[in-house]
Structures are given as structure tokens and as C-alpha cells.
Amino acid sequence: MAMVCTALGLSAMVVAPLARSATPGPGASPAASAAPAPASPAASVGEQAARRASAEPEVPAWIEAENAAGKAFVYPPQRASEAPRPVTVLLHGMCGHPQSACGPFVDVSTSRGWLVCPRGEDACGGGTRWRLHGTDDAQLVEASVRAVVREHEGEVDASAPRVLVGFSLGGIAAVQIAQGSTARYVGLVVIASQVHPDAAALRKAGVKRVVLAAGDLDMTSAPLREDARSLDAQGMPTRFVSLGKFGHGYPADMQERMREPMQWVAGGGASGG
């Protein structure tokens, strides 16, 4: 219930997220520029993609789950492999879009495996939102992953420990999903979301590492810094990442700021906090 109340409080924060930023949002198009634009070109609640130095992976595309149980924008691995590859799941913010939310995470995630960006279930402005109750969000995510497995048989290792990322409202959904899972997510990344992960619940669910991130001008920055200290003190390896003098959203250098933390939370990279 506390998480749901916090989510409602976030709604006022995401109405004009970039207005509170010290740095203007980048003018780059979402990373999935080759994909069809959403039907309504509404603002993406601060999820604009950072500029990318390298080429897009081949053929990112929408994949629909069976029985219309969900839809996700999916990026395949950068390099072909005979072995099935693991999955990173990213949840967009309130009224957001999968393509724009996932943009800065494409390079680092597809160097490891598949990047699956589900679309929230409920319509919200020009985008969608997560429900934050029961198992609805978790079921939608699993339906999306199963759809990718079905469409790319033998190429996806759905049983391998995953990384789960959530921005803003998607961060609240991500914490709920991670804490209710069992050995499904090895890493959890929460960006600009005011929610307090439970170290014991995460450990029981199989989470090994946590990254919390926010712009210094975002109202979630101080609480997330405190959460990082608390989780780490309780034996859950946790890092806080500053997104610089920025408000509620993604700064232009989001891709580079999050590259090493994403490698670390997946089990690679430097071990320092």
C-alpha cells in the first residue's frame, strides 16, 4: 500500500519532468528511430534517449504476447551466438513509451543479450502505465518474455538470471516484481523512483546487486541515496549513481553514466561501490 501511495505522489512529479532540469533534454529521437512512432507523440516523461555513438542492433521490433496479454519492444543481441542469451527487462515511466525509456540502455544490454521493453497495461495520456497491484505487472512482463522466447526459439535463455530496470513509476513496479520473484532477477536497477526496497525480500528472491540512480535535482535523489546506504549496510551490495545536475528524467549522457553500473549489476565490471 505504501508503494501505491508513493506512486500516486509521483504523478505530480512527472507532469513536466524536464522543466525542473538544469540541463535541457537532448533533442535526439528515441533509440528505436527505425520503429513506428507511437500513435500519439506525447512527451515521454523524461525518457528521451541519449545520443548513441554506435549503430543500432539489427531489427528491433514489437512482439505481441499470446492472447493479447502484452506487447514489448525488443532489441536482439549485438552479436550472433550459438548459445541462448540472457534477458534484461526495462519498465518505462508513467505515460511513457518502451522505445524512449530503453534508448540509453540498448548498447550495454544488447552486448550481454536481449533487451525486452514491455508496454504498461493501462492507457495513460499518449502512453501507458503500470498497475502496481497484485501480480498484473509481473504477469505482463513474463508474457512478454515468453513471446520473445517463442519468436526466437533457441536464441533466448529465459531461465538465466535477468537484470530488471525501472524508471520512475516503472521503478516501483520493478521493485515489486523483483521482490516477488524467485531466482529470476540477479540485478535490480531503479531510476528516479521513490520506493524503499527491502533487503531481506530482495535477498530471498535471489537478487545479488542493486543500482539506484537519480538526477541531483530530482526529489527522489536524497531518498534513493539513503536507500543505497541502508541496503548496503544490510549486506545487499548497492550503488547509488548520480545523473548530474538534472531533474526527473534522463540527461544527455545517460548512456555513458549507466554503462558501467549496468555491467556491475549484471555481475561484471568493477566491484567497488
Side-chain angles (χ1 to χ4, degrees), residues 187-204:
L188 172 66
V189 180
V190 178
I191 304 162
S193 180
Q194 191 163 323
V195 62
H196 308 296
D198 183 297
L202 291 174
R203 189 177 300 109
K204 182 178 180 180

Side-chain angles (χ1 to χ4, degrees), residues 86-89 112 138 141-142 145-146 149 157-164 177 181 183-188 207 265-266:
V87 172
T88 296
V89 174
R112 174 177 178 265
V141 169
E142 288 311 305
V145 173
R146 286 196 301 271
V149 172
D157 188 352
S159 64
R162 310 172 192 166
V163 172
L164 179 60
I177 291 170
S181 179
R184 190 160 281 164
Y185 297 100
V186 68
L188 172 66
V207 174
V265 83

Side-chain angles (χ1 to χ4, degrees), residues 16-22:
L18 297 183
R20 287 185 288 275
S21 302

Side-chain angles (χ1 to χ4, degrees), residues 171-262:
I172 297 174
V175 170
Q176 291 182 345
I177 291 170
Q179 292 184 169
S181 179
T182 303
R184 190 160 281 164
Y185 297 100
V186 68
L188 172 66
V189 180
V190 178
I191 304 162
S193 180
Q194 191 163 323
V195 62
H196 308 296
D198 183 297
L202 291 174
R203 189 177 300 109
K204 182 178 180 180
V207 174
K208 304 297 183 184
R209 296 181 177 185
V210 176
V211 168
L212 306 177
D216 296 345
L217 305 182
D218 192 323
M219 64 181 290
T220 67
S221 178
L224 287 176
R225 287 177 186 272
E226 182 57 36
D227 286 338
R229 286 190 288 267
S230 176
L231 289 172
D232 204 57
Q234 295 176 68
M236 173 59 64
T238 305
R239 296 172 59 174
F240 177 83
V241 177
S242 168
L243 302 182
K245 299 298 181 182
F246 201 79
H248 193 72
Y250 292 173
D253 60 349
M254 183 70 167
Q255 176 178 283
E256 292 310 314
R257 284 183 183 271
M258 294 302 299
R259 184 183 302 278
E260 192 278 332
M262 285 290 292

Side-chain angles (χ1 to χ4, degrees), residues 30 36-45 62 95-100 119 123-128:
S40 174
S44 301
V45 287
W62 286 103
C95 305
H97 303 286
Q99 304 102 304
S100 53
R119 186 175 66 181
C124 174
T128 56

Side-chain angles (χ1 to χ4, degrees), residues 80-137:
S81 172
E82 294 183 1
R85 304 292 291 278
V87 172
T88 296
V89 174
L90 193 145
L91 309 182
H92 61 75
M94 182 181 287
C95 305
H97 303 286
Q99 304 102 304
S100 53
C102 280
F105 298 88
V106 174
D107 265 358
V108 67
S109 298
T110 59
S111 66
R112 174 177 178 265
W114 295 82
L115 176 58
V116 179
C117 309
R119 186 175 66 181
E121 194 162 3
D122 294 336
C124 174
T128 56
R129 60 157 288 160
W130 306 100
R131 292 186 171 178
L132 305 181
H133 65 78
T135 59
D136 291 358
D137 296 332

